[in-house]
Each structure stands twice: as structure tokens, then as C-alpha cells.
Amino acid sequence: MNDRISRNAELLLEENLSSEQSARSNFFYSFSLLPRDERMAMQSVYEFCRYTDDLVDEDIPLDIPGIDFKKEAAIEKKRIRLNWWRAEVEKCYAGTSKHPLLFSLHKVISRFKIPKQYFLTLIDGVEMDLVKDRYENFEELKEYCYAVASIVGLITIEIFGYKFEKTKEYAVDLGIALQLTNILRDVKKDASMGRIYLPKKDMRRFGVSEKDILSGNYNLPFINLMKFETARARKYYRESRQKLGKHERFTLFAAQIMDAIYARLLRKIELAEFNVFQKRITVSTPHKLLIAFRFWFSSVIFRERGA
């Protein structure tokens, strides 16, 4: 049985490795080992998320001269794109969208009964990056995390299936934990784009200025700030796990893979003494694969025992 399971897993991974875009994402390691129908559904959701991001992240050619005008025009054009995309989501739910990505997504939302508001909220979250590059406090940041990460979790549990309403709370908390981990890892990258997601209230508390972040000033106040933010992220990991029912640990093994990979990333940030300015901290591919196989194999054993 073990040889058969291992070979099936290898085939699934090889099939998905053909997608360069998926292989770059930790998302890949969580859904590669799902049953085929769920895996294809998650691929459609993933492509929706990537496309929505691209609507605001891709450069837009402009004819208007002048730096300030150019920036404003770019933002306005991107907002027009997002409004068009919202309208396409409405058409998708009505079954009238001609967009190829939404044509496949329509089959997913019809089968798994995914609420339309989830996708609209995700678009709202992406739009926040167009108009907001600072967060006064954690409550503001939490709203952003919900819109860009927790909402994806709520979409995925509709695909994986769940029995208890508390599982929605699990998805929300895990999404916040994952996004906070992303933010801590990408402090340098975000600063290079003029964005600071670390709450200003927390920065003031530990004596860290915007200039410190933008210039990559690695010092004791920054370390203390990062320790504080890491403890907050870990709290959300802990609380999310407490809300996941015993039997749903196996049906939601893909979400647990994401949990384990990002929790390991958070630990590596700690082990690097929070010096995220020196290099981008990552989890190795072998470690990610090991995590994925461990949770997947546990779910297979659970199902074969008829638990």
C-alpha cells in the first residue's frame, strides 16, 4: 500500500510541476495532493487570485506626462480594471461571463456553492493596496488580512467541505496568521515599493520610524518590534488550530499543510534573529514536500481505516 500511495503522490506532483506559476507558491504544496476534482477547483481559485493581483500589479502603459499625473492615472486605470472585474464576477454567477478563467470558475462555484461575496471581498482587499500603504493600528491591518487571506480560506473550506460553523473561524484565523507571516517576511520587499504594513502604533511603541523601515535599519528596536509581531502571528496560529475539529483535521489536510509551511517560515524568521533585511527568508523545497506528504499520508491512512 505504501508504494502505491507514494507513486500516486509523485505523479500528482509531476503533473502540477508543469505549472511554473503554481510551483512558485506555497499554495502549490497544499493542493497538489488533493483528489483530482478538488485539485482542479483549487487551481481555478488560485488562477482567480493571481489574475486579480495582476490587475493591480502589472505596469500599465500611459500617455500622460509627469510623475504625479502618471501615478494617479495608473491608479485610476487599475481601479477601472477592478470595477470591470467585479462586473465579470457578477456575470460569472449569472452564467453569462465570456472570460475563460471565469468560465471554469463558474463550474466550481456552482458545484461547491461558494458565496459571491467572498470573491468580491477579495477584489476589495486587492484594491486596498492601490490606495493604502500604511496602517495606523492592528485593527486596520486585520481588516486587510481578512480581505486578502482569510477570505481565501473561507473559499477553500467550501471546496474541501466542513461540518461545523466553527471551521469558518478556523479559516479566518489561519488566514490572518498566514498573512502576518507574509508581512514579516516581506518587510524589505514591501518597503522597496513604499509600503509598510507593520502597524504605526506598534512602531511608535518600540521606537521604530518609517525611515528605519525604508532604509533597512536593523537594530534592537526593530528586533523588539518583530518579536512582538511574531508573537501576535503565533497567537493566531494557535487559536486557529484550537478551532479545527478532530475529524476535519483530515478533510482539511491541505489547509494544515499551509499552516505548517508558514509556521516553519515564521520560526525561520525568528532563527534569523528577525534580520529580514539581509536576505529573503524561505522554507526549503524538500522541507515543504516533507510537510505536504506527512499531512497527506495521515489523511489517506485515516480514510482507509474508515474513521
Side-chain angles (χ1 to χ4, degrees):
M1 182 188 72
N2 289 356
D3 290 341
R4 172 173 57 81
I5 290 173
S6 297
R7 184 54 187 155
N8 287 344
E10 288 172 7
L11 289 172
L12 289 175
L13 286 171
E14 287 170 3
E15 176 183 333
N16 282 276
L17 280 171
S18 62
S19 172
E20 179 183 354
Q21 194 173 62
S22 292
R24 287 201 305 262
S25 171
N26 289 328
F27 216 45
F28 160 77
Y29 294 95
S30 70
F31 69 61
S32 291
L33 298 173
L34 287 168
R36 185 182 184 281
D37 288 351
E38 292 179 6
R39 190 171 76 253
M40 298 307 293
M42 286 302 302
Q43 183 68 34
S44 293
V45 170
Y46 176 80
E47 289 173 358
F48 178 90
C49 295
R50 291 292 302 182
Y51 187 81
T52 305
D53 278 339
D54 289 344
L55 288 176
V56 299
D57 287 341
E58 288 183 346
D59 291 332
I60 302 174
L62 297 168
D63 300 320
I64 305 174
I67 296 176
D68 291 337
F69 269 162
K70 187 174 182 180
K71 179 181 178 182
E72 290 304 316
I75 291 175
E76 184 57 30
K77 285 190 175 183
K78 289 175 181 179
R79 295 186 84 166
I80 290 172
R81 281 185 171 193
L82 290 177
N83 285 333
W84 162 78
W85 194 228
R86 289 186 180 95
E88 285 298 312
V89 169
E90 296 284 352
K91 291 179 182 178
C92 176
Y93 273 80
T96 59
S97 176
K98 304 298 183 182
H99 195 286
L101 190 157
L102 294 181
F103 180 78
S104 62
L105 186 65
H106 175 71
K107 298 177 183 178
V108 174
I109 61 179
S110 297
R111 175 175 176 180
F112 295 103
K113 311 301 180 187
I114 304 172
K116 177 174 61 179
Q117 188 56 48
Y118 287 174
F119 292 101
L120 295 177
T121 298
L122 179 62
I123 296 173
D124 291 343
V126 169
E127 187 172 23
M128 290 176 71
D129 276 331
L130 290 180
V131 297
K132 195 175 183 68
D133 56 19
R134 300 290 188 278
Y135 292 82
E136 178 58 34
N137 51 49
F138 178 64
E139 289 307 310
E140 287 187 6
L141 181 61
K142 185 178 177 182
E143 181 181 346
Y144 171 76
C145 291
Y146 174 84
V148 299
S150 295
I151 208 72
V152 177
L154 289 171
I155 291 171
T156 58
I157 65 171
E158 295 295 333
I159 294 173
F160 300 155
Y162 62 96
K163 296 180 179 178
F164 310 107
E165 281 298 305
K166 206 170 186 66
T167 306
K168 290 183 179 180
E169 297 178 30
Y170 159 77
V172 170
D173 284 352
L174 179 59
I176 293 171
L178 300 181
Q179 189 62 25
L180 290 177
T181 303
N182 270 333
I183 287 169
L184 296 178
R185 177 194 61 191
D186 292 338
V187 169
K188 179 181 179 180
K189 176 185 173 183
D190 292 329
S192 70
M193 298 184 289
R195 296 175 181 170
I196 300 176
Y197 290 98
L198 300 172
K200 292 167 70 174
K201 181 179 179 180
D202 297 345
M203 291 169 60
R204 289 193 296 268
R205 173 180 173 181
F206 291 97
V208 177
S209 67
E210 288 190 10
K211 183 178 179 182
D212 289 330
I213 301 295
L214 297 174
S215 62
N217 188 8
Y218 176 68
N219 54 21
L220 185 58
F222 177 77
I223 292 172
N224 289 334
L225 170 63
M226 291 289 282
K227 284 182 180 178
F228 177 78
E229 303 299 342
T230 297
R232 173 182 280 150
R234 183 163 285 114
K235 170 178 172 288
Y236 276 95
Y237 281 111
R238 184 172 60 253
E239 291 182 353
S240 70
R241 292 164 188 162
Q242 292 171 351
K243 293 171 182 175
L244 183 61
K246 179 180 178 181
H247 286 76
E248 293 191 336
R249 295 176 190 273
F250 301 99
T251 57
L252 297 178
F253 75 89
Q256 291 189 91
I257 291 172
M258 291 287 284
D259 178 330
I261 290 175
Y262 275 86
R264 176 58 185 167
L265 176 59
L266 189 65
R267 179 57 181 156
K268 291 195 73 172
I269 291 171
E270 283 184 306
L271 293 173
E273 297 183 327
F274 307 101
N275 193 354
V276 292
F277 295 120
Q278 186 176 41
K279 66 176 182 179
R280 192 169 189 265
I281 299 170
T282 62
V283 178
S284 70
T285 296
H287 200 152
K288 290 177 181 178
L289 289 171
L290 180 63
I291 290 170
F293 277 114
R294 176 163 60 89
F295 281 100
W296 175 77
F297 187 76
S298 295
S299 71
V300 170
I301 296 300
F302 181 79
R303 285 197 302 270
E304 292 201 355
R305 287 177 177 174

